[in-house]
């Protein structure tokens, strides 16, 4: 169970902070909710405390893991999908929902590569924005860095991997 002030990551929205835990009555039943605020974009979510883990809510990665991921980004392997766009979309969505930042980074790199080669559909462009937001928001929250600075570091790491 998380406490107020804990830094947490939601697999589809990125990283944020538990602002409070509130009790609300819905359909006659009282239930506790995490009030989860994301510093980037100002999104606020309410997630039932009893099912936070099933939603994929987890603590943010520590600084050491984030720094290792940033180092690994340039050499991170991405799959070249040969199937249909909807199969590719489903596989990428599963990776995003996993909550694993390496999988999120693979989605981001794969979509960036595809964008440079063939362009992206509207749905894939949205998925690329989501993947970047998930990745960068957690990196920024974990390191205490500014979102724009972390984004530049990620872009540089990905570009370095494209060259080599």
């Amino acid at each position: 169970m998380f406490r107020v002030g804990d830094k947490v990551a939601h697999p589809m929205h990125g990283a944020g902070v538990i602002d409070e835990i509130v009790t609300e009555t819905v359909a006659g039943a009282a239930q506790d909710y995490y009030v989860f605020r994301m510093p980037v974009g100002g999104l606020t979510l309410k997630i039932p405390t009893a099912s936070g883990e099933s939603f994929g809510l987890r603590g943010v990665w520590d600084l050491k893991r984030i720094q290792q991921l940033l180092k690994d980004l340039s050499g991170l392997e991405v799959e070249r999908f040969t199937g249909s766009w909807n199969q590719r979309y489903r596989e990428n969505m599963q990776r995003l929902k996993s909550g694993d930042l390496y999988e999120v980074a693979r989605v981001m790199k794969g979509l960036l590569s595809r964008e440079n080669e063939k362009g992206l559909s509207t749905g894939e462009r949205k998925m690329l924005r989501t993947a970047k937001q998930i990745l960068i928001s957690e990196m920024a929250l974990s390191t205490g860095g500014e979102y724009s600075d972390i984004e530049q570091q990620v872009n540089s790491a990905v570009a370095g991997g494209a060259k080599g």
Side-chain angles (χ1 to χ4, degrees):
M1 180 142 177
F2 298 106
R3 296 186 310 255
V4 173
D6 284 352
K7 296 175 182 178
V8 296
H10 186 284
M12 293 305 295
H13 296 289
V17 178
I18 302 292
D19 266 354
E20 60 182 320
I21 299 172
V22 297
T23 303
E24 293 186 3
T25 303
V26 178
Q31 189 168 352
D32 291 337
Y33 292 86
Y34 297 119
V35 178
F36 170 75
R37 180 189 47 81
M38 294 183 51
V40 177
L43 178 67
T44 300
L45 300 173
K46 287 185 182 174
I47 300 169
T49 59
S51 54
E53 284 184 24
S54 67
F55 276 92
L57 206 59
R58 61 168 175 74
V60 297
W61 283 13
D62 64 27
L63 182 59
K64 186 176 179 180
R65 283 181 82 184
I66 293 294
Q67 289 172 334
Q68 187 61 51
L69 172 60
L70 195 54
K71 286 179 189 173
D72 293 345
L73 261 178
S74 63
L76 198 62
E77 295 286 328
V78 294
E79 285 184 33
R80 298 284 183 208
F81 290 105
T82 56
S84 65
W85 69 269
N86 58 350
Q87 180 184 7
R88 183 175 65 241
Y89 186 88
R90 279 194 309 271
E91 288 182 27
N92 280 335
M93 189 59 75
Q94 281 183 308
R95 287 180 176 186
L96 290 181
K97 288 180 179 180
S98 75
D100 181 331
L101 288 185
Y102 277 90
E103 291 301 314
V104 173
R106 282 186 179 91
V107 169
M108 182 191 71
K109 276 190 78 170
L111 290 173
L112 284 170
S113 174
R114 184 163 187 83
E115 181 179 46
N116 291 333
E117 293 170 10
K118 300 180 182 182
L120 296 176
S121 68
T122 303
E124 286 178 316
R125 272 194 301 279
K126 183 178 183 215
M127 182 179 280
L128 175 57
R129 283 191 306 273
T130 299
K132 283 184 90 170
Q133 192 275 322
I134 290 168
L135 183 69
I136 296 168
S137 69
E138 185 161 351
M139 292 175 114
L141 195 60
S142 179
T143 64
E146 290 294 321
Y147 188 94
S148 59
D149 295 338
I150 302 295
E151 185 174 24
Q152 284 180 336
Q153 290 176 30
V154 167
N155 289 340
S156 293
V158 170
K163 293 175 189 169

